Amino acid sequence: MSVIAETTSCAEVDAPVSTREPVPALLPVVGGDTTVPLVDGTQRVYANLDYAASAPALESVAARVTEVLPLYASVHRGAGYLSQVSTALYESSRQSIARFVDARPDDVAIITRNTTDSLNLLAGVVPAGGKVLVLDVEHHANLLPWVQSSQRHGNTTTILPIGRTVAETLDALRTELATQPYAILTITGASNVTGESLPIEEVVALAHAEGTRVAVDGAQLVPHRGFSLARTGADYVAFSGHKTYAPFGAGALVGRRDWLDTGTPYLAGGGAVRDVRADRTVWQPAPARHEAGSPNVIGAIALAEACDRLAALPAGALLAHEEALRARLVDGLGTIDGVEVARIWPDSADPVGVLTFTVPGHDPGLVAAYLSAEHGIGVRDGRFCAHPLLAHLGASGGAIRASVGVGTTSEAVDRLVDALRRYLADGPTARYDVVDACWTVVDDTRPLVQVHGLDALAATAAAACGPALDD
Ligand SMILES: Cc1ncc(COP(=O)(O)O)c(C=O)c1O
């Protein structure tokens, strides 16, 4: 695996993780004190280190949903009082979401399902014949929609290999952008594998110098750092509610209005049209043009609440909290022989709180199962829907990802470091085996939580592994 260890100051490395000041959660999240069963029969507060996949709801988001549910009614076409209240709430949520990413006055915010949905939508409105440029480090959500839309709309998508450094990658981008008129360059705001990013403002300047628009896959950046369309000059940003502490099924695409006003409507149906006759359809402009069908009103309100709550944090608080946790994790892992932290570029700055590592010689699925069963820690293992990047990192066999967010405390990070140290020193205490492509505890006695809907499953947590999906 081509791994470049993250550098930390000597003072930081020398300090044992456990003697550091505790880092509390930045905001309360629902489930922050939920306990889970361990294989030794005890219970522990769940150490959720999988925020990059889906983050828990902020308590304020849950409260907001509870508050507005009694007001919920049909939107846009309802004449009733509550329909009008719900419509106003939906439209004001759109404004909050746009404000959170510092949209320009003429930008448009479209409520989608998630980042994948947003990027598919955007890929479908690139003018016909448009050329698309994408790097080979992207999450599949920022790769496949562009390739697929090229096949459909006669556009072309070029997948550019990254350089060994940020500087080399910027040079490669500059050179490629000059070779032909690209309509759009689409880049990750922060890698879902390593948390790293390219300097977006520089990328935007390079692209704009050649008349190329820039879309930012903000799935990891927006919840971890916030984002400004106006300051970066990026043309579009896509992000997901369930990664932004609002797991109620909404996401957003925010950016330049022109392509969205005229591009092929993403979903055909009611609400997206002005007039329909047997022989012709007159579509609405954006955002309605791309929001056919009944919108996810509650999801949008939840996402807006999360956006408002994150925006109300003191300046720099989000960054400081994540940096403290990430540095603690990197330093802690750095003290363990046999753990290697992955980096894409040695010269990238300010990675977000998402970090991937391997334990060479040990299956990532086994390590992840051990962390869960014996320590109550939730991490992600696999290839993180970024197969080209994992191959580039020499980790096609998979890796382990730990990610933090506003509800994370240093206890979770320290627990992970301690658990990995024990794993390498003593090995797991339970026995593990692969069942249906999933590492599970042999003779698992952990009970499934008593909640409606799980009754039909077999009695143990092992049964909840789920179907094998794209890892
Ligand atoms: C960087 C990045 N882009 C896109 C996505 C897709 O997000 P969603 O599954 O919410 O559509 C993810 C999800 O993990 C991601 O991390």
Side-chain angles (χ1 to χ4, degrees):
M1 177 176 187
S2 65
V3 171
I4 300 149
E6 288 202 21
T7 52
T8 45
S9 74
C10 292
E12 279 172 333
V13 171
D14 287 343
V17 166
S18 55
T19 63
R20 291 181 164 187
E21 284 294 303
V23 179
L26 187 60
L27 288 173
V29 296
V30 178
D33 56 2
T34 298
T35 59
V36 293
L38 305 188
V39 282
D40 66 2
T42 62
Q43 293 268 335
R44 271 198 100 164
V45 171
Y46 187 56
N48 184 347
L49 291 175
D50 199 13
Y51 275 57
S54 279
L58 293 180
E59 283 188 357
S60 69
V61 167
R64 176 75 170 144
V65 167
T66 305
E67 177 188 32
V68 299
L69 273 174
L71 306 174
Y72 176 68
S74 64
V75 294
H76 289 149
R77 293 168 291 275
Y81 184 84
L82 288 189
S83 287
Q84 290 176 1
V85 170
S86 283
T87 302
L89 285 170
Y90 183 64
E91 291 305 326
S92 87
S93 298
R94 190 191 305 285
Q95 286 171 17
S96 290
I97 292 164
R99 198 164 49 240
F100 183 58
V101 293
D102 201 9
R104 296 150 292 228
D106 51 352
D107 284 336
V108 62
I110 299 172
I111 308 299
T112 63
R113 286 181 292 178
N114 48 37
T115 307
T116 305
D117 199 35
S118 300
L119 292 169
N120 274 276
L121 193 170
L122 184 58
V125 298
V126 175
K131 295 178 193 302
V132 177
L133 183 58
V134 55
L135 290 169
D136 65 353
V137 287
E138 298 296 332
H139 187 284
H140 297 165
N142 197 26
L143 194 61
L144 303 181
W146 304 100
V147 173
Q148 200 177 53
S149 125
S150 295
Q151 289 157 0
R152 274 201 225 111
H153 299 294
N155 298 357
T156 51
T157 297
T158 301
I159 302 173
L160 184 68
I162 53 162
R164 279 167 302 173
T165 61
V166 166
E168 258 186 26
T169 307
L170 292 174
D171 281 346
L173 275 174
R174 185 182 297 106
T175 306
E176 183 60 34
L177 285 161
T179 61
Q180 47 187 318
Y182 280 104
I184 189 162
L185 162 67
T186 180
I187 57 161
T188 185
S191 163
N192 68 306
V193 178
T194 66
E196 294 169 271
S197 52
L198 293 171
I200 291 178
E201 283 167 53
E202 268 184 69
V203 171
V204 170
L206 291 179
H208 283 182
E210 299 294 343
T212 303
R213 294 189 181 191
V214 176
V216 174
D217 169 354
Q220 299 301 337
L221 182 65
V222 169
H224 291 271
R225 288 282 191 278
F227 183 70
S228 168
L229 279 165
R231 202 191 60 251
T232 60
D235 300 279
Y236 305 93
V237 64
F239 64 109
S240 301
H242 72 102
K243 297 184 197 287
T244 313
Y245 313 106
F248 289 86
L253 173 68
V254 189
R256 305 275 180 213
R257 176 176 268 288
D258 52 353
W259 292 357
L260 291 162
D261 267 349
T262 54
T264 307
Y266 182 41
L267 279 174
V273 287
R274 229 178 232 148
D275 190 36
V276 179
R277 302 288 155 92
D279 57 350
R280 66 164 172 81
T281 301
V282 182
W283 297 95
Q284 293 273 19
R289 187 181 191 86
H290 302 288
E291 293 183 2
S294 304
N296 180 356
V297 178
I298 297 296
I301 294 171
L303 178 53
E305 167 62 27
C307 290
D308 288 346
R309 192 69 191 85
L310 291 175
L313 285 169
L318 202 53
L319 175 73
H321 180 252
E322 265 199 23
E323 275 188 346
L325 292 171
R326 186 183 165 108
R328 194 170 179 119
L329 185 54
V330 170
D331 292 355
L333 295 179
T335 63
I336 308 176
D337 275 345
V339 172
E340 293 184 349
V341 176
R343 285 289 295 249
I344 306 173
W345 299 291
D347 54 342
S348 62
D350 299 332
V352 301
V354 178
L355 179 144
T356 284
F357 59 92
T358 54
V359 185
H362 298 263
D363 191 297
L366 169 61
V367 178
Y370 153 84
L371 291 170
S372 169
E374 302 190 29
H375 298 278
I377 298 169
V379 292
R380 176 63 57 115
D381 68 279
R383 291 186 291 165
F384 319 120
C385 299
H387 296 181
L389 175 55
L390 268 284
H392 174 89
L393 293 170
S396 285
I400 302 154
R401 181 181 73 188
S403 50
V404 302
V406 296
T408 313
T409 68
S410 51
E411 188 280 326
V413 167
D414 293 349
R415 200 194 306 176
L416 173 63
V417 172
D418 185 51
L420 285 168
R421 191 175 285 120
R422 286 191 207 199
Y423 173 86
L424 282 166
D426 309 325
T429 52
R431 283 191 307 120
Y432 297 82
D433 201 359
V434 178
V435 178
D436 294 336
C438 182
W439 279 94
T440 47
V441 177
V442 175
D443 299 329
D444 195 351
T445 53
R446 286 174 296 164
L448 269 182
V449 65
Q450 292 300 300
V451 64
H452 176 67
L454 293 185
D455 334 3
L457 282 180
T460 68
C465 184
L469 298 174
D470 170 22
D471 61 347

